[in-house]
Amino acid sequence: IAAFIAFFLVTNMIDERKVEDGSALHLLRNEQKDSDQHNHVNVTASIISNVSFSDKKLKLPDGNKSGNHGDHHTNYSLAQNDVNSIATKPIIPNTSFRIEDGTEGNNHGDHNDNVNIPVTMGYYNLSCPFEMYKYSCAAMQDNESDEQVTAASMQYYQQHLSEIWRAFDSVFNDKINPQQKPKRIFMTGDSLLRQVFISIACNAFSLNAVERSEVQWRKKWPCPEGLTKCTIAGGEHSGFDAASVRFTNGMEIHYVPHSGFRVTGEGDVLQRMKRQVDDSGEIDFGTKTAFPPSGPMDVLVYELGAHRKPRKSREMLNSFASDIAMPLMRSKSEQRPKIVYVTTPTAHFNTTDGQHMSGKMGDEQKQCVDRVTHNPRAELEKQILKAGVNVDALLDYDDLELGALHVHKGDCLHYCMPGAVDVVGARLLELF
């Protein structure tokens, strides 16, 4: 109890204007300037170097007991050289996050061996300019249960930080890839793929690898459900539709929601790409990226997401495969993009299959369970889409046992950030 009270007092006394050796958060101020005469943007990146909780072991929530989040948090720390020296017993089961690309030997397990991780790596509690409030569990903490959820997600992130770092180092380290050609990536999907974009951008930002960025923050954005006090309902950190980022190695990633922008001129992105394939056999970024891409598309990343019913989902997946992906893969054009599909993450609602039910759900059904037996959405996606056949690569969350890492507060689909999404983002980055 004393350790927990001490932690609470320390973390609430830290101010973004104060940087002290040995403090719980090291706060670094970075200035970023756009290459196309954009305004200077001052951003403060809070990098966790050593966040400690009490020495009690964290218990996973009991799926049969709503709201029971166990004891206080176990010790963990981020951005240490010896990441494996803390939390020797993972609180979350290891997962493989399978990657399929039509070849053998592409299953990736956990990697927690000792590596020299930069002390600046990591993001937390809206320290990253791309973060959204509704996914930052640290920013939304109302009670001890929220703190338990935050701790579980942060520990998972810490346990996988060496693997995440290796992925970013392999992409952004000129010594590893001195002749690497910068690639332009188009990511289109729903809010779940937007989380993956945020993850890549935030981890790169913490490594000072962002050269230019544009995020189209909404003036108004709905507050998260179940939050006692909402402090961000619009503007920075609220919510965005489109966002673009260019990294210091020249790589660009542009995210656009696949439902499109019906009010401002570009509707469903898949329908637009289907028309382009029919007309010219090629696709482009469209007109709604946050800033214009510097050239043609090198990689298309698509995810259908969780908003469609099974029949509509099947229809859209079949259309994506037959009308867009396969014609592009058959193309002999050197400019055709690599096609990567990211499966929909597992939902862990307290329902028969973990899925959100249409209509009003009761409070008990909105409680996240630790694990489910299957993910019907991902199963459908993997039934229709095959690596090497109608997509170049398929990245599977493989997260049936990660229910403790969701946002909670009625959201058992999106994960806390940082957390599980960062492992997926790192492995997606390696596919580019």
Side-chain angles (χ1 to χ4, degrees):
I1 295 174
F4 174 77
I5 293 174
F7 164 77
F8 181 83
L9 291 174
V10 170
T11 54
N12 282 276
M13 289 172 63
I14 292 175
D15 188 282
E16 286 189 351
R17 298 169 184 83
K18 298 178 181 178
V19 180
E20 298 178 0
D21 291 337
S23 61
L25 300 180
H26 291 289
L27 305 166
L28 306 177
R29 180 169 297 277
N30 295 314
E31 285 192 354
Q32 289 190 327
K33 181 179 180 182
D34 275 342
S35 57
D36 291 341
Q37 298 180 347
H38 279 251
N39 294 330
H40 287 258
V41 180
N42 293 328
V43 287
T44 301
S46 305
I47 309 302
I48 302 177
S49 64
N50 189 5
V51 181
S52 297
F53 296 90
S54 80
D55 58 0
K56 296 182 179 180
K57 293 181 180 179
L58 174 64
K59 297 178 181 179
L60 286 174
D62 185 345
N64 297 319
K65 298 179 181 179
S66 301
N68 176 15
H69 289 260
D71 290 328
H72 294 298
H73 326 301
T74 188
N75 287 337
Y76 69 92
S77 60
L78 285 179
Q80 297 189 105
N81 289 338
D82 186 1
V83 188
N84 200 36
S85 65
I86 307 294
T88 56
K89 294 183 179 180
I91 61 169
I92 303 295
N94 290 334
T95 57
S96 65
F97 284 82
R98 289 190 296 270
I99 299 174
E100 301 174 10
D101 63 1
T103 60
E104 296 295 330
N106 286 291
N107 287 350
H108 290 234
D110 289 311
H111 303 283
N112 283 324
D113 51 338
N114 298 338
V115 293
N116 292 321
I117 302 173
V119 295
T120 61
M121 185 165 192
Y123 63 100
Y124 178 76
N125 198 10
L126 304 183
S127 67
C128 166
F130 306 99
E131 277 188 273
M132 286 178 58
Y133 179 55
K134 67 183 298 182
Y135 307 136
S136 176
C137 293
M140 294 190 296
Q141 289 182 161
D142 276 340
N143 50 50
E144 184 177 342
S145 293
D146 293 344
E147 293 169 3
Q148 295 283 329
V149 172
T150 302
S153 185
M154 290 298 294
Q155 183 171 346
Y156 187 87
Y157 179 61
Q158 177 268 324
Q159 289 168 350
H160 293 79
L161 195 59
S162 59
E163 178 187 352
I164 296 169
W165 157 243
R166 272 195 302 271
F168 279 80
D169 190 41
S170 69
V171 172
F172 295 109
N173 191 333
D174 292 337
K175 295 180 180 179
I176 297 178
N177 288 306
Q179 305 299 324
Q180 182 175 241
K181 177 184 175 182
K183 294 182 179 179
R184 294 166 291 269
I185 294 94
F186 185 47
M187 297 179 66
T188 185
D190 68 356
S191 58
L192 298 165
L193 192 64
R194 180 175 58 202
Q195 282 198 292
V196 179
F197 169 88
I198 293 171
S199 167
I200 295 174
C202 282
N203 281 297
F205 176 80
S206 74
L207 297 170
N208 199 29
V210 174
E211 178 183 283
R212 178 188 178 188
S213 64
E214 185 80 24
V215 181
Q216 296 179 349
W217 296 107
R218 289 259 202 100
K219 292 182 179 180
K220 293 183 179 180
W221 193 269
C223 287
E225 180 183 350
L227 192 62
T228 302
K229 183 180 180 181
C230 179
T231 60
I232 301 177
E236 187 176 2
H237 294 305
S238 61
F240 64 84
D241 292 317
S244 297
V245 59
R246 180 182 299 141
F247 303 106
T248 52
N249 67 347
M251 177 188 289
E252 297 175 5
I253 302 181
H254 302 268
Y255 170 82
V256 170
H258 69 140
S259 57
F261 301 80
R262 294 178 179 85
V263 177
T264 55
E266 182 177 287
D268 186 276
V269 173
L270 288 188
Q271 291 300 316
R272 187 259 298 169
M273 289 194 293
K274 181 180 181 300
R275 290 192 299 269
Q276 290 180 322
V277 170
D278 291 340
D279 293 342
S280 65
E282 298 180 351
I283 60 174
D284 59 32
F285 289 89
T287 61
K288 295 301 178 180
T289 56
F291 64 69
S294 62
M297 185 190 310
D298 295 301
V299 183
L300 168 64
V301 181
Y302 178 53
E303 179 221 43
L304 177 59
H307 294 283
R308 273 74 179 179
K309 294 183 177 180
R311 179 178 295 181
K312 182 63 176 177
S313 295
R314 181 179 293 275
E315 176 186 321
M316 293 181 67
L317 289 167
N318 280 321
S319 177
F320 172 71
S322 61
D323 299 332
I324 299 172
M326 290 187 68
L328 289 174
M329 292 178 70
R330 288 195 297 261
S331 172
K332 297 180 180 180
S333 171
E334 295 181 357
Q335 294 296 326
R336 81 97 169 164
K338 181 177 182 178
I339 301 169
V340 180
Y341 188 84
V342 179
T343 63
T344 301
T346 301
H348 290 85
F349 291 97
N350 191 15
T351 57
T352 54
D353 59 359
Q355 297 296 300
H356 187 277
M357 298 171 58
S358 59
K360 189 174 182 179
M361 292 174 59
D363 291 340
E364 184 176 350
Q365 293 171 315
K366 292 180 181 179
Q367 296 292 328
C368 305
V369 298
D370 297 346
R371 55 190 62 83
V372 293
T373 57
H374 67 295
N375 179 350
R377 291 187 179 277
E379 289 173 0
L380 176 62
E381 292 161 350
K382 290 183 286 186
Q383 175 187 340
I384 295 174
L385 301 175
K386 304 293 183 182
V389 178
N390 49 21
V391 292
D392 291 299
L394 188 146
L395 176 57
D396 184 11
Y397 267 75
D398 195 21
D399 55 345
L400 297 179
E401 298 185 343
L402 298 184
L405 305 185
H406 287 295
V407 172
H408 289 67
K409 296 182 181 294
D411 186 351
C412 303
L413 181 58
H414 297 92
Y415 284 111
C416 289
M417 298 186 72
V421 179
D422 297 279
V423 180
V424 175
R427 289 169 181 173
L428 177 62
L429 191 65
E430 291 180 306
L431 293 177
F432 296 160

